[in-house]
Amino acid sequence: MRIEDYALIGDMQSAALVGRDGSVDWLCLPRFDSPACFAALLGDENNGRWWIGPADPGAGPDHAAGRPATRRRYRGDTLILESEWDTPGGTVRVTDFMPPRHANPDIVRVVEGVSGTVEMATHIRIRFDYGRIVPWVRRANGLLHAIGGPDSVWLRSPVPLTGGDHAHHATFRVSAGQRLPFVFTWHPSHEPAPPMIDPAAQFAETEHMWTEWIGRFRFQGRWRDAVARSLITLKALTYSPTGGIVAAPTTSLPEDLGGVRNWDYRYCWLRDATMTLEALIRSGFLEEAKSWREWLLRAIAGRPQDLQIMYGVAGERRLPELELSWLPGYEDSSPVRIGNGAVDQLQLDVYGEVMNCLYLARDNGLSADDRAWAIQRELLDFLESNWDRPDEGLWEVRGPRRHFVHSKLMAWVALDRGVRQVERFGRNGPAARWSELRDRVHAEICAKGYDPARNTFTQSYGSRELDAALLLIPQTGFLPPDDPRVIGTVDAIERELMTDGFVLRYPMADDNSVDGLPGGEGAFLACSFWLAEARALIGRRQEAIDLFEHLLALRNDVGLLAEEYDPRHGRLVGNFPQAFSHVPLIHTAHALA
């Protein structure tokens, strides 16, 4: 299926992707970054999936036709997915959700007759360890039990399942008013069988939890529903036990169909997490900022020079990058990777992202924390001696290090927010020294990172290339929006980085050695949202609205966005759903509102 044909369900510890055809093709348990037990997304049905839909007698012994739902939607402002099929015999609805976790993770799938009588079928093939391990399956107490290594799952089915070819399937009928609940539960294989849950009670609890949470949202206006769905998606990417926030629930969905730009995003990037927190804070959700601050203090505890750009959801530091040779990849985009080698990169911008987010949280009412301030001082002490080093930058390039202007900009932000903490909140710190260095960084950026002949800032010192991240300059307060250099940079990016109405991260020409990778990519949606917000800030409101609504039209039918859009194929590409796309959607809506 196309990436945009999937919808997300989750319990804020893990998540599943459910296709428009009713198939769960991706599920990692018990955490976002755990091995998948359904991995058809990156292979085929032999790598694990769970399909429920109208039966097709001509589709083989499992009757798995896989036709797309006639319509689907989330139930109100929740993460409960409702898919409906109209058939000659009547209409049927499948409701999918993951209840708030109490002990073990569950997926509940309820088949409900809406009208008439519909022939249905289900087919489940469990494969642990990213589709590699065929489990031992038995029947126990009327349930299906699969076990393999550390993983164990129980399937409670309201209809008899028939085994064959290392899978199980069933056909059944559902009439108007009937509700047939299927419950899939994971637990560690060394523990006893988990208690059975009440699907109806868990449905009510799940609906109440999401409705109550989003009830604190007060945004009103024409884009309210788009912003609310983005906020719910960001909340779903939060690992509730620790407060960590993953960039996406998937790995290796390609940035270039058939290419090698396939990365594991199931980790907590400091940059992505701070941007997510900023969007939540601006929308009135301060509790998440408090939880994330606690996660941050645990994750980065130690020497400031050991700060990483990303961590595991519990603060793990070792995220070795491996390739899974048995998975062919989404639409043959290989290799499939788990872990992320960028963990060891130097990216100086993260210091500014962290300092800005913690300042914003304080500015919006989060209580002071002496330990948090002590760590911020250590980060600034490190930055004072290292801000002028070349790095891999925001885009995690795998080419040579450079003096990226965005990295220097965010070093300025870190120093600026440190000064503000002292001046506004009375914190102890060498504000005069930080202020002097802040001014020196500002002057250097304007001298070395600006091309006066073209009236634009550039990607790195001495280069002619542009970078979409330069659109963030007015948002940070580095220069006012009406500064001619800001306006000139916006104009230059529109002129040189826009293609088919979208903004590229940077030039993708063959002679550009910055990237260090072969092949092309789609347009990063965040970059186009940044342009929309920049247009709004410099007074081009109608142009901003036009671009913003053009971008909103790229969301799939349930309001989700991937990392990129490929105008060559007219498709979403990259990991999905992607926090880095939904965050600037929220920011731009606030700027326009």
Side-chain angles (χ1 to χ4, degrees), residues 93-249:
R93 177 185 303 132
V94 176
T95 300
D96 295 311
F97 64 97
M98 295 178 70
R101 195 176 303 185
H102 300 294
N104 302 290
D106 304 283
I107 286 186
V108 179
R109 314 194 71 187
V110 182
V111 181
E112 178 182 0
V114 177
S115 66
T117 298
V118 180
E119 291 281 344
M120 295 291 290
T122 185
H123 181 271
I124 185 166
R125 189 183 300 271
I126 302 165
R127 294 291 183 270
F128 296 128
D129 193 25
Y130 301 102
R132 187 179 188 184
I133 296 177
V134 179
W136 174 55
V137 182
R138 66 186 179 95
R139 299 180 190 275
N141 301 320
L143 307 178
L144 203 66
H145 180 213
I147 188 169
D151 299 298
S152 175
V153 297
W154 295 80
L155 177 62
R156 176 179 162 193
S157 171
V159 299
L161 296 168
T162 301
D165 190 28
H166 303 292
H168 288 78
H169 57 87
T171 56
F172 56 97
R173 289 183 176 180
V174 62
S175 299
Q178 279 187 292
R179 292 172 59 88
L180 301 176
F182 295 77
V183 180
F184 179 94
T185 304
W186 180 96
H187 74 110
S189 60
H190 64 276
E191 293 184 358
M196 292 189 294
I197 65 169
D198 180 343
Q202 291 302 305
F203 174 87
E205 182 180 352
T206 304
E207 183 174 36
H208 174 75
M209 184 274 294
W210 285 109
T211 303
E212 182 180 51
W213 182 79
I214 199 64
R216 290 181 276 160
F217 178 48
R218 294 292 180 263
F219 185 96
Q220 297 297 327
R222 61 201 282 191
W223 303 296
R224 185 265 173 205
D225 290 345
V227 175
R229 179 51 53 192
S230 292
L231 287 167
I232 291 168
T233 303
L234 297 180
K235 178 66 171 176
L237 299 179
T238 302
Y239 185 68
S240 60
T242 66
I245 303 172
V246 299

Side-chain angles (χ1 to χ4, degrees), residues 487-519:
I487 296 173
T489 299
V490 173
D491 290 339
I493 287 173
E494 290 181 332
R495 187 171 58 248
E496 299 184 28
L497 288 186
M498 287 196 78
T499 178
D500 298 311
F502 300 96
V503 181
L504 301 177
R505 294 188 295 172
Y506 43 76
M508 296 299 296
D510 293 336
D511 58 353
N512 183 3
S513 61
V514 174
D515 193 290
L517 290 167

